[in-house]
Short mmCIF file of all heavy atoms in Angstrom, two decimals:
data_model
loop_
_atom_site.label_atom_id
_atom_site.label_comp_id
_atom_site.label_asym_id
_atom_site.label_seq_id
_atom_site.Cartn_x
_atom_site.Cartn_y
_atom_site.Cartn_z
N MET A 1 13.79 -6.87 -9.41
CA MET A 1 14.09 -7.30 -8.03
C MET A 1 14.68 -6.12 -7.25
O MET A 1 15.58 -5.46 -7.75
CB MET A 1 15.10 -8.45 -8.07
CG MET A 1 15.33 -9.09 -6.72
SD MET A 1 16.37 -10.55 -6.86
CE MET A 1 15.27 -11.65 -7.73
N PRO A 2 14.15 -5.86 -6.09
CA PRO A 2 14.65 -4.71 -5.33
C PRO A 2 16.04 -4.94 -4.80
O PRO A 2 16.45 -6.07 -4.55
CB PRO A 2 13.65 -4.60 -4.17
CG PRO A 2 13.12 -5.98 -4.00
CD PRO A 2 13.10 -6.59 -5.39
N ASN A 3 16.77 -3.86 -4.65
CA ASN A 3 18.08 -3.97 -4.00
C ASN A 3 18.08 -3.16 -2.72
O ASN A 3 17.46 -2.11 -2.64
CB ASN A 3 19.19 -3.52 -4.94
CG ASN A 3 19.11 -2.04 -5.23
OD1 ASN A 3 18.13 -1.55 -5.76
ND2 ASN A 3 20.14 -1.31 -4.87
N TYR A 4 18.78 -3.67 -1.75
CA TYR A 4 18.81 -3.03 -0.45
C TYR A 4 20.23 -2.58 -0.14
O TYR A 4 21.19 -3.25 -0.48
CB TYR A 4 18.35 -4.00 0.64
CG TYR A 4 16.95 -4.51 0.44
CD1 TYR A 4 16.73 -5.77 -0.11
CD2 TYR A 4 15.85 -3.73 0.79
CE1 TYR A 4 15.46 -6.24 -0.29
CE2 TYR A 4 14.57 -4.21 0.61
CZ TYR A 4 14.37 -5.46 0.07
OH TYR A 4 13.11 -5.94 -0.11
N ASP A 5 20.32 -1.44 0.50
CA ASP A 5 21.61 -0.97 0.99
C ASP A 5 21.80 -1.44 2.42
O ASP A 5 20.90 -1.30 3.25
CB ASP A 5 21.67 0.57 0.95
CG ASP A 5 21.86 1.08 -0.46
OD1 ASP A 5 22.42 0.34 -1.29
OD2 ASP A 5 21.44 2.20 -0.73
N TYR A 6 22.97 -1.98 2.67
CA TYR A 6 23.30 -2.41 4.02
C TYR A 6 24.55 -1.69 4.49
O TYR A 6 25.44 -1.37 3.70
CB TYR A 6 23.56 -3.92 4.07
CG TYR A 6 22.31 -4.76 3.95
CD1 TYR A 6 21.86 -5.20 2.71
CD2 TYR A 6 21.61 -5.13 5.08
CE1 TYR A 6 20.73 -5.98 2.60
CE2 TYR A 6 20.46 -5.91 4.98
CZ TYR A 6 20.03 -6.34 3.74
OH TYR A 6 18.91 -7.11 3.63
N LEU A 7 24.61 -1.44 5.79
CA LEU A 7 25.79 -0.81 6.38
C LEU A 7 26.21 -1.63 7.59
O LEU A 7 25.39 -1.92 8.48
CB LEU A 7 25.46 0.62 6.80
CG LEU A 7 26.60 1.38 7.49
CD1 LEU A 7 27.75 1.61 6.51
CD2 LEU A 7 26.10 2.71 8.03
N CYS A 8 27.49 -1.99 7.60
CA CYS A 8 28.01 -2.77 8.72
C CYS A 8 28.28 -1.84 9.90
O CYS A 8 28.89 -0.78 9.76
CB CYS A 8 29.29 -3.49 8.30
SG CYS A 8 30.05 -4.41 9.64
N ASN A 9 27.82 -2.27 11.06
CA ASN A 9 28.05 -1.46 12.27
C ASN A 9 29.48 -1.57 12.77
O ASN A 9 29.94 -0.73 13.53
CB ASN A 9 27.09 -1.90 13.38
CG ASN A 9 25.65 -1.55 13.04
OD1 ASN A 9 25.38 -0.57 12.36
ND2 ASN A 9 24.72 -2.36 13.51
N ASP A 10 30.16 -2.61 12.36
CA ASP A 10 31.50 -2.84 12.89
C ASP A 10 32.59 -2.22 12.01
O ASP A 10 33.43 -1.48 12.49
CB ASP A 10 31.75 -4.35 13.02
CG ASP A 10 30.93 -4.96 14.15
OD1 ASP A 10 30.37 -4.17 14.95
OD2 ASP A 10 30.83 -6.18 14.22
N CYS A 11 32.58 -2.54 10.71
CA CYS A 11 33.66 -2.05 9.84
C CYS A 11 33.17 -0.96 8.89
O CYS A 11 33.93 -0.46 8.08
CB CYS A 11 34.27 -3.22 9.06
SG CYS A 11 33.19 -3.89 7.77
N GLU A 12 31.89 -0.60 9.00
CA GLU A 12 31.29 0.45 8.19
C GLU A 12 31.34 0.13 6.70
O GLU A 12 31.30 1.02 5.85
CB GLU A 12 31.95 1.80 8.46
CG GLU A 12 31.75 2.26 9.90
CD GLU A 12 32.25 3.68 10.12
OE1 GLU A 12 33.13 4.12 9.36
OE2 GLU A 12 31.75 4.34 11.03
N HIS A 13 31.44 -1.13 6.39
CA HIS A 13 31.37 -1.56 4.99
C HIS A 13 29.93 -1.39 4.51
O HIS A 13 29.00 -1.85 5.16
CB HIS A 13 31.80 -3.02 4.86
CG HIS A 13 31.57 -3.59 3.49
ND1 HIS A 13 32.10 -3.03 2.36
CD2 HIS A 13 30.85 -4.68 3.07
CE1 HIS A 13 31.73 -3.75 1.31
NE2 HIS A 13 30.97 -4.75 1.71
N ARG A 14 29.78 -0.70 3.39
CA ARG A 14 28.45 -0.49 2.84
C ARG A 14 28.33 -1.23 1.53
O ARG A 14 29.24 -1.16 0.69
CB ARG A 14 28.19 1.01 2.64
CG ARG A 14 26.80 1.29 2.08
CD ARG A 14 26.50 2.78 2.11
NE ARG A 14 25.22 3.06 1.46
CZ ARG A 14 24.62 4.25 1.46
NH1 ARG A 14 25.20 5.26 2.07
NH2 ARG A 14 23.48 4.43 0.85
N PHE A 15 27.23 -1.91 1.35
CA PHE A 15 27.07 -2.68 0.12
C PHE A 15 25.59 -2.81 -0.20
O PHE A 15 24.72 -2.56 0.63
CB PHE A 15 27.71 -4.06 0.28
CG PHE A 15 27.09 -4.90 1.37
CD1 PHE A 15 26.15 -5.87 1.05
CD2 PHE A 15 27.43 -4.71 2.69
CE1 PHE A 15 25.57 -6.64 2.05
CE2 PHE A 15 26.85 -5.46 3.70
CZ PHE A 15 25.92 -6.44 3.38
N GLU A 16 25.35 -3.21 -1.44
CA GLU A 16 23.98 -3.43 -1.86
C GLU A 16 23.75 -4.92 -2.04
O GLU A 16 24.63 -5.66 -2.48
CB GLU A 16 23.71 -2.73 -3.19
CG GLU A 16 23.70 -1.22 -3.08
CD GLU A 16 23.34 -0.58 -4.40
OE1 GLU A 16 23.28 -1.30 -5.42
OE2 GLU A 16 23.11 0.63 -4.41
N ALA A 17 22.56 -5.35 -1.72
CA ALA A 17 22.22 -6.75 -1.91
C ALA A 17 20.91 -6.82 -2.69
O ALA A 17 19.94 -6.14 -2.37
CB ALA A 17 22.06 -7.44 -0.56
N PHE A 18 20.94 -7.62 -3.74
CA PHE A 18 19.73 -7.82 -4.52
C PHE A 18 18.99 -9.02 -3.94
O PHE A 18 19.51 -10.13 -3.91
CB PHE A 18 20.06 -8.07 -5.98
CG PHE A 18 20.61 -6.84 -6.66
CD1 PHE A 18 21.95 -6.55 -6.60
CD2 PHE A 18 19.75 -5.98 -7.32
CE1 PHE A 18 22.46 -5.40 -7.21
CE2 PHE A 18 20.25 -4.84 -7.93
CZ PHE A 18 21.60 -4.55 -7.88
N GLN A 19 17.79 -8.76 -3.47
CA GLN A 19 17.04 -9.83 -2.82
C GLN A 19 15.60 -9.82 -3.30
O GLN A 19 15.04 -8.79 -3.65
CB GLN A 19 17.03 -9.64 -1.30
CG GLN A 19 18.38 -9.79 -0.65
CD GLN A 19 18.24 -9.67 0.85
OE1 GLN A 19 18.11 -8.60 1.39
NE2 GLN A 19 18.24 -10.81 1.50
N SER A 20 15.02 -10.97 -3.26
CA SER A 20 13.59 -11.06 -3.48
C SER A 20 12.87 -10.31 -2.37
O SER A 20 13.36 -10.19 -1.26
CB SER A 20 13.15 -12.52 -3.49
OG SER A 20 11.76 -12.62 -3.37
N ILE A 21 11.69 -9.81 -2.70
CA ILE A 21 10.91 -9.07 -1.72
C ILE A 21 10.53 -9.96 -0.55
O ILE A 21 10.26 -9.50 0.55
CB ILE A 21 9.65 -8.47 -2.39
CG1 ILE A 21 9.02 -7.43 -1.49
CG2 ILE A 21 8.65 -9.56 -2.75
CD1 ILE A 21 9.83 -6.16 -1.37
N THR A 22 10.55 -11.25 -0.77
CA THR A 22 10.16 -12.18 0.28
C THR A 22 11.36 -12.76 1.02
O THR A 22 11.20 -13.50 1.98
CB THR A 22 9.34 -13.34 -0.30
OG1 THR A 22 10.11 -13.97 -1.32
CG2 THR A 22 8.04 -12.84 -0.88
N ALA A 23 12.55 -12.42 0.55
CA ALA A 23 13.75 -12.96 1.20
C ALA A 23 13.96 -12.33 2.57
O ALA A 23 13.61 -11.16 2.79
CB ALA A 23 14.98 -12.72 0.33
N GLU A 24 14.52 -13.09 3.47
CA GLU A 24 14.83 -12.54 4.78
C GLU A 24 15.99 -11.56 4.66
O GLU A 24 16.92 -11.79 3.90
CB GLU A 24 15.21 -13.65 5.74
CG GLU A 24 14.05 -14.57 6.08
CD GLU A 24 14.44 -15.56 7.16
OE1 GLU A 24 15.49 -15.35 7.78
OE2 GLU A 24 13.68 -16.52 7.35
N PRO A 25 15.93 -10.46 5.40
CA PRO A 25 17.02 -9.48 5.34
C PRO A 25 18.31 -10.07 5.86
O PRO A 25 18.31 -10.93 6.75
CB PRO A 25 16.53 -8.34 6.24
CG PRO A 25 15.47 -8.93 7.10
CD PRO A 25 14.86 -10.04 6.30
N LEU A 26 19.39 -9.61 5.28
CA LEU A 26 20.70 -10.07 5.74
C LEU A 26 20.96 -9.54 7.15
O LEU A 26 20.42 -8.50 7.55
CB LEU A 26 21.79 -9.58 4.79
CG LEU A 26 21.64 -9.99 3.33
CD1 LEU A 26 22.75 -9.37 2.49
CD2 LEU A 26 21.64 -11.50 3.18
N ASN A 27 21.78 -10.24 7.89
CA ASN A 27 22.06 -9.79 9.25
C ASN A 27 23.53 -9.89 9.64
O ASN A 27 23.88 -9.68 10.79
CB ASN A 27 21.19 -10.54 10.27
CG ASN A 27 21.33 -12.04 10.11
OD1 ASN A 27 22.38 -12.52 9.71
ND2 ASN A 27 20.28 -12.76 10.41
N SER A 28 24.38 -10.20 8.67
CA SER A 28 25.80 -10.23 9.00
C SER A 28 26.63 -9.69 7.85
O SER A 28 26.28 -9.85 6.68
CB SER A 28 26.25 -11.66 9.35
OG SER A 28 26.10 -12.50 8.23
N CYS A 29 27.71 -9.04 8.19
CA CYS A 29 28.59 -8.42 7.20
C CYS A 29 29.37 -9.49 6.44
O CYS A 29 29.92 -10.41 7.05
CB CYS A 29 29.55 -7.47 7.93
SG CYS A 29 30.80 -6.75 6.85
N PRO A 30 29.43 -9.38 5.12
CA PRO A 30 30.17 -10.37 4.33
C PRO A 30 31.68 -10.25 4.51
O PRO A 30 32.42 -11.17 4.18
CB PRO A 30 29.77 -10.04 2.88
CG PRO A 30 29.37 -8.61 2.91
CD PRO A 30 28.76 -8.38 4.27
N LEU A 31 32.14 -9.14 5.03
CA LEU A 31 33.58 -8.95 5.22
C LEU A 31 34.03 -9.39 6.61
O LEU A 31 34.98 -10.15 6.76
CB LEU A 31 33.94 -7.48 5.00
CG LEU A 31 33.82 -6.97 3.56
CD1 LEU A 31 34.35 -5.54 3.48
CD2 LEU A 31 34.55 -7.86 2.58
N CYS A 32 33.36 -8.87 7.63
CA CYS A 32 33.83 -9.13 8.99
C CYS A 32 32.85 -9.96 9.80
O CYS A 32 33.17 -10.38 10.91
CB CYS A 32 34.12 -7.80 9.70
SG CYS A 32 32.62 -6.89 10.16
N GLY A 33 31.66 -10.20 9.27
CA GLY A 33 30.69 -11.00 10.00
C GLY A 33 29.98 -10.23 11.09
O GLY A 33 29.23 -10.81 11.87
N GLY A 34 30.21 -8.92 11.14
CA GLY A 34 29.57 -8.11 12.18
C GLY A 34 28.12 -7.84 11.86
O GLY A 34 27.61 -8.20 10.79
N LYS A 35 27.48 -7.21 12.80
CA LYS A 35 26.07 -6.89 12.59
C LYS A 35 25.91 -5.77 11.57
O LYS A 35 26.68 -4.80 11.57
CB LYS A 35 25.43 -6.47 13.92
CG LYS A 35 25.21 -7.64 14.86
CD LYS A 35 24.34 -7.21 16.03
CE LYS A 35 24.01 -8.43 16.91
NZ LYS A 35 23.13 -8.05 18.05
N ILE A 36 24.89 -5.91 10.73
CA ILE A 36 24.64 -4.89 9.72
C ILE A 36 23.21 -4.38 9.88
O ILE A 36 22.35 -5.04 10.46
CB ILE A 36 24.84 -5.44 8.30
CG1 ILE A 36 23.90 -6.63 8.04
CG2 ILE A 36 26.29 -5.82 8.06
CD1 ILE A 36 23.98 -7.16 6.64
N GLN A 37 23.02 -3.21 9.35
CA GLN A 37 21.68 -2.65 9.35
C GLN A 37 21.27 -2.36 7.92
O GLN A 37 22.10 -2.03 7.07
CB GLN A 37 21.63 -1.36 10.18
CG GLN A 37 22.60 -0.30 9.70
CD GLN A 37 22.49 0.98 10.49
OE1 GLN A 37 21.41 1.51 10.67
NE2 GLN A 37 23.63 1.47 10.98
N ARG A 38 19.99 -2.48 7.64
CA ARG A 38 19.49 -2.18 6.31
C ARG A 38 19.10 -0.72 6.24
O ARG A 38 18.40 -0.21 7.08
CB ARG A 38 18.29 -3.07 5.97
CG ARG A 38 17.95 -3.03 4.51
CD ARG A 38 17.01 -4.13 4.15
NE ARG A 38 15.66 -3.86 4.63
CZ ARG A 38 14.64 -4.70 4.46
NH1 ARG A 38 14.82 -5.84 3.87
NH2 ARG A 38 13.46 -4.39 4.91
N LEU A 39 19.59 -0.05 5.22
CA LEU A 39 19.30 1.37 5.05
C LEU A 39 18.07 1.54 4.18
O LEU A 39 18.01 1.05 3.06
CB LEU A 39 20.50 2.07 4.40
CG LEU A 39 21.83 1.87 5.13
CD1 LEU A 39 22.94 2.52 4.32
CD2 LEU A 39 21.78 2.46 6.52
N LEU A 40 17.09 2.22 4.71
CA LEU A 40 15.85 2.42 3.97
C LEU A 40 15.83 3.80 3.34
O LEU A 40 16.34 4.76 3.89
CB LEU A 40 14.65 2.27 4.91
CG LEU A 40 14.51 0.90 5.56
CD1 LEU A 40 13.32 0.92 6.51
CD2 LEU A 40 14.32 -0.17 4.52
N GLY A 41 15.23 3.87 2.18
CA GLY A 41 15.04 5.17 1.54
C GLY A 41 16.29 5.74 0.92
O GLY A 41 16.32 6.89 0.53
N SER A 42 17.32 4.93 0.76
CA SER A 42 18.54 5.42 0.15
C SER A 42 18.52 5.12 -1.34
O SER A 42 17.57 4.56 -1.86
CB SER A 42 19.75 4.77 0.82
OG SER A 42 19.68 3.38 0.69
N GLY A 43 19.61 5.46 -2.03
CA GLY A 43 19.71 5.18 -3.45
C GLY A 43 18.63 5.93 -4.23
O GLY A 43 18.57 7.14 -4.19
N GLY A 44 17.80 5.17 -4.91
CA GLY A 44 16.77 5.79 -5.73
C GLY A 44 15.60 6.33 -4.93
O GLY A 44 14.69 6.91 -5.50
N GLY A 45 15.63 6.15 -3.65
CA GLY A 45 14.56 6.65 -2.81
C GLY A 45 13.31 5.79 -2.85
O GLY A 45 12.26 6.19 -2.39
N LEU A 46 13.46 4.61 -3.40
CA LEU A 46 12.31 3.72 -3.49
C LEU A 46 12.20 2.88 -2.23
O LEU A 46 13.17 2.33 -1.74
CB LEU A 46 12.45 2.79 -4.69
CG LEU A 46 12.44 3.48 -6.05
CD1 LEU A 46 12.67 2.45 -7.14
CD2 LEU A 46 11.12 4.19 -6.28
N ILE A 47 11.00 2.81 -1.73
CA ILE A 47 10.75 1.95 -0.58
C ILE A 47 9.75 0.89 -1.01
O ILE A 47 8.63 1.20 -1.41
CB ILE A 47 10.20 2.74 0.61
CG1 ILE A 47 11.21 3.80 1.04
CG2 ILE A 47 9.88 1.79 1.77
CD1 ILE A 47 10.70 4.67 2.18
N PHE A 48 10.17 -0.34 -0.93
CA PHE A 48 9.31 -1.42 -1.38
C PHE A 48 8.51 -1.98 -0.22
O PHE A 48 9.07 -2.52 0.73
CB PHE A 48 10.16 -2.54 -2.01
CG PHE A 48 10.81 -2.11 -3.29
CD1 PHE A 48 12.06 -1.56 -3.29
CD2 PHE A 48 10.12 -2.25 -4.48
CE1 PHE A 48 12.66 -1.15 -4.47
CE2 PHE A 48 10.72 -1.85 -5.67
CZ PHE A 48 11.98 -1.30 -5.67
N LYS A 49 7.23 -1.81 -0.28
CA LYS A 49 6.37 -2.33 0.76
C LYS A 49 5.36 -3.32 0.18
O LYS A 49 4.45 -3.74 0.86
CB LYS A 49 5.63 -1.20 1.45
CG LYS A 49 6.53 -0.32 2.30
CD LYS A 49 5.74 0.75 2.99
CE LYS A 49 6.64 1.62 3.87
NZ LYS A 49 5.87 2.70 4.52
N GLY A 50 5.50 -3.60 -1.10
CA GLY A 50 4.54 -4.51 -1.72
C GLY A 50 3.47 -3.76 -2.48
O GLY A 50 2.92 -4.26 -3.45
N SER A 51 3.15 -2.54 -2.05
CA SER A 51 2.09 -1.80 -2.72
C SER A 51 2.52 -1.40 -4.13
O SER A 51 1.69 -1.27 -5.02
CB SER A 51 1.72 -0.55 -1.91
OG SER A 51 2.86 0.27 -1.75
N GLY A 52 3.80 -1.20 -4.32
CA GLY A 52 4.31 -0.83 -5.64
C GLY A 52 4.00 -1.89 -6.68
O GLY A 52 3.69 -1.59 -7.83
N PHE A 53 4.06 -3.13 -6.23
CA PHE A 53 3.77 -4.21 -7.14
C PHE A 53 2.28 -4.22 -7.49
O PHE A 53 1.89 -4.56 -8.58
CB PHE A 53 4.18 -5.55 -6.53
CG PHE A 53 5.66 -5.68 -6.40
CD1 PHE A 53 6.30 -5.44 -5.20
CD2 PHE A 53 6.42 -6.03 -7.51
CE1 PHE A 53 7.67 -5.54 -5.09
CE2 PHE A 53 7.79 -6.15 -7.41
CZ PHE A 53 8.42 -5.91 -6.20
N TYR A 54 1.49 -3.83 -6.54
CA TYR A 54 0.06 -3.77 -6.77
C TYR A 54 -0.24 -2.69 -7.82
O TYR A 54 -1.04 -2.88 -8.71
CB TYR A 54 -0.71 -3.47 -5.48
CG TYR A 54 -2.14 -3.12 -5.75
CD1 TYR A 54 -3.05 -4.11 -6.14
CD2 TYR A 54 -2.58 -1.81 -5.65
CE1 TYR A 54 -4.37 -3.79 -6.41
CE2 TYR A 54 -3.89 -1.48 -5.92
CZ TYR A 54 -4.79 -2.47 -6.30
OH TYR A 54 -6.09 -2.14 -6.57
N ILE A 55 0.42 -1.54 -7.69
CA ILE A 55 0.20 -0.45 -8.63
C ILE A 55 0.59 -0.88 -10.04
O ILE A 55 -0.11 -0.62 -11.00
CB ILE A 55 1.00 0.80 -8.20
CG1 ILE A 55 0.44 1.32 -6.88
CG2 ILE A 55 0.94 1.88 -9.28
CD1 ILE A 55 1.26 2.45 -6.29
N THR A 56 1.71 -1.57 -10.15
CA THR A 56 2.13 -2.08 -11.45
C THR A 56 1.09 -3.04 -12.01
O THR A 56 0.73 -2.98 -13.19
CB THR A 56 3.48 -2.82 -11.32
OG1 THR A 56 4.44 -1.90 -10.79
CG2 THR A 56 3.97 -3.31 -12.68
N ASP A 57 0.61 -3.87 -11.14
CA ASP A 57 -0.44 -4.80 -11.55
C ASP A 57 -1.65 -4.06 -12.07
O ASP A 57 -2.21 -4.37 -13.09
CB ASP A 57 -0.87 -5.66 -10.35
CG ASP A 57 -0.26 -7.05 -10.43
OD1 ASP A 57 0.59 -7.25 -11.31
OD2 ASP A 57 -0.63 -7.90 -9.63
N TYR A 58 -2.01 -3.05 -11.34
CA TYR A 58 -3.21 -2.29 -11.67
C TYR A 58 -3.07 -1.64 -13.05
O TYR A 58 -3.97 -1.69 -13.88
CB TYR A 58 -3.45 -1.22 -10.61
CG TYR A 58 -4.59 -0.30 -10.94
CD1 TYR A 58 -5.91 -0.73 -10.92
CD2 TYR A 58 -4.34 1.04 -11.29
CE1 TYR A 58 -6.95 0.12 -11.22
CE2 TYR A 58 -5.37 1.88 -11.60
CZ TYR A 58 -6.69 1.42 -11.57
OH TYR A 58 -7.70 2.27 -11.88
N LYS A 59 -1.92 -1.06 -13.31
CA LYS A 59 -1.72 -0.39 -14.59
C LYS A 59 -1.72 -1.38 -15.75
O LYS A 59 -2.18 -1.08 -16.84
CB LYS A 59 -0.39 0.37 -14.58
CG LYS A 59 -0.44 1.61 -13.71
CD LYS A 59 0.90 2.33 -13.76
CE LYS A 59 0.83 3.60 -12.90
NZ LYS A 59 2.12 4.29 -12.86
N ASN A 60 -1.17 -2.55 -15.49
CA ASN A 60 -1.09 -3.55 -16.55
C ASN A 60 -2.43 -4.22 -16.81
O ASN A 60 -2.65 -4.78 -17.87
CB ASN A 60 -0.05 -4.61 -16.18
CG ASN A 60 1.36 -4.04 -16.28
OD1 ASN A 60 1.59 -3.03 -16.94
ND2 ASN A 60 2.29 -4.69 -15.62
N GLN A 61 -3.30 -4.16 -15.85
CA GLN A 61 -4.54 -4.90 -15.97
C GLN A 61 -5.75 -3.97 -15.89
O GLN A 61 -6.82 -4.37 -15.47
CB GLN A 61 -4.63 -5.95 -14.85
CG GLN A 61 -3.48 -6.96 -14.93
CD GLN A 61 -3.54 -7.95 -13.79
OE1 GLN A 61 -4.48 -7.94 -13.01
NE2 GLN A 61 -2.55 -8.82 -13.69
N LYS A 62 -5.55 -2.73 -16.28
CA LYS A 62 -6.64 -1.76 -16.12
C LYS A 62 -7.84 -2.09 -17.01
O LYS A 62 -8.92 -1.59 -16.78
CB LYS A 62 -6.14 -0.35 -16.41
CG LYS A 62 -5.57 -0.17 -17.82
CD LYS A 62 -5.00 1.23 -17.95
CE LYS A 62 -4.35 1.42 -19.31
NZ LYS A 62 -3.73 2.76 -19.43
N LYS A 63 -7.61 -2.90 -18.02
CA LYS A 63 -8.73 -3.24 -18.88
C LYS A 63 -9.48 -4.46 -18.36
O LYS A 63 -10.54 -4.80 -18.87
CB LYS A 63 -8.23 -3.51 -20.31
CG LYS A 63 -7.76 -2.24 -21.00
CD LYS A 63 -7.36 -2.52 -22.44
CE LYS A 63 -6.92 -1.22 -23.14
NZ LYS A 63 -6.49 -1.48 -24.51
N SER A 64 -8.88 -5.14 -17.41
CA SER A 64 -9.56 -6.29 -16.86
C SER A 64 -10.02 -5.99 -15.44
O SER A 64 -9.95 -4.84 -14.99
CB SER A 64 -8.64 -7.51 -16.87
OG SER A 64 -7.48 -7.23 -16.12
N SER A 65 -10.48 -6.97 -14.77
CA SER A 65 -11.00 -6.76 -13.42
C SER A 65 -9.88 -6.29 -12.49
O SER A 65 -8.71 -6.65 -12.64
CB SER A 65 -11.64 -8.04 -12.89
OG SER A 65 -10.66 -9.04 -12.80
N ILE A 66 -10.24 -5.51 -11.52
CA ILE A 66 -9.28 -4.94 -10.57
C ILE A 66 -9.28 -5.79 -9.30
O ILE A 66 -10.31 -6.08 -8.73
CB ILE A 66 -9.64 -3.49 -10.23
CG1 ILE A 66 -9.61 -2.63 -11.50
CG2 ILE A 66 -8.68 -2.95 -9.17
CD1 ILE A 66 -10.13 -1.22 -11.27
N HIS A 67 -8.07 -6.12 -8.91
CA HIS A 67 -7.96 -6.88 -7.68
C HIS A 67 -8.29 -6.00 -6.48
O HIS A 67 -7.91 -4.85 -6.44
CB HIS A 67 -6.54 -7.41 -7.51
CG HIS A 67 -6.15 -8.41 -8.57
ND1 HIS A 67 -6.66 -9.68 -8.58
CD2 HIS A 67 -5.35 -8.30 -9.62
CE1 HIS A 67 -6.15 -10.31 -9.62
NE2 HIS A 67 -5.36 -9.51 -10.28
N THR A 68 -8.97 -6.56 -5.54
CA THR A 68 -9.33 -5.80 -4.36
C THR A 68 -8.47 -6.20 -3.17
O THR A 68 -8.62 -5.63 -2.11
CB THR A 68 -10.81 -6.01 -4.00
OG1 THR A 68 -11.05 -7.42 -3.87
CG2 THR A 68 -11.69 -5.45 -5.09
N THR A 69 -7.60 -7.13 -3.36
CA THR A 69 -6.78 -7.55 -2.22
C THR A 69 -5.61 -6.62 -2.06
O THR A 69 -4.71 -6.63 -2.82
CB THR A 69 -6.28 -9.00 -2.41
OG1 THR A 69 -5.65 -9.11 -3.66
CG2 THR A 69 -7.44 -9.95 -2.30
ZN1 LIG B 101 31.82 -5.49 8.53
#
């Protein structure tokens, strides 16, 4: 499950949230309730766009038919 870095615009609290790829992004700070922004490309430098899951699928199923979607 991917984790996202968030930064609060109000109190500058930074935290990570583990969310499903389909979960809606958080929009409020757990400490002060202020607006937060999601930091992309931080931490491990991984950006999850869904294609990564496809690549994993492809490697695991290279002996069977390849999905074209
Ligand atoms: Zn905050």
Side-chain angles (χ1 to χ4, degrees):
M1 188 174 292
N3 67 300
Y4 300 100
D5 285 334
Y6 286 92
L7 178 66
C8 177
N9 292 330
D10 289 348
C11 71
E12 297 187 335
H13 172 57
R14 181 171 174 172
F15 62 99
E16 291 184 350
F18 291 86
Q19 293 184 282
S20 165
I21 194 70
T22 56
E24 292 187 13
L26 303 177
N27 53 31
S28 63
C29 175
L31 292 186
C32 73
K35 286 191 175 182
I36 59 176
Q37 58 177 310
R38 193 166 74 181
L39 305 175
L40 298 177
S42 59
L46 296 176
I47 299 177
F48 293 91
K49 291 181 178 179
S51 59
F53 291 99
Y54 168 73
I55 294 173
T56 302
D57 257 8
Y58 174 70
K59 288 181 179 177
N60 288 341
Q61 300 177 5
K62 59 185 176 183
K63 290 184 179 178
S64 59
S65 63
I66 299 173
H67 295 287
T68 55
T69 53

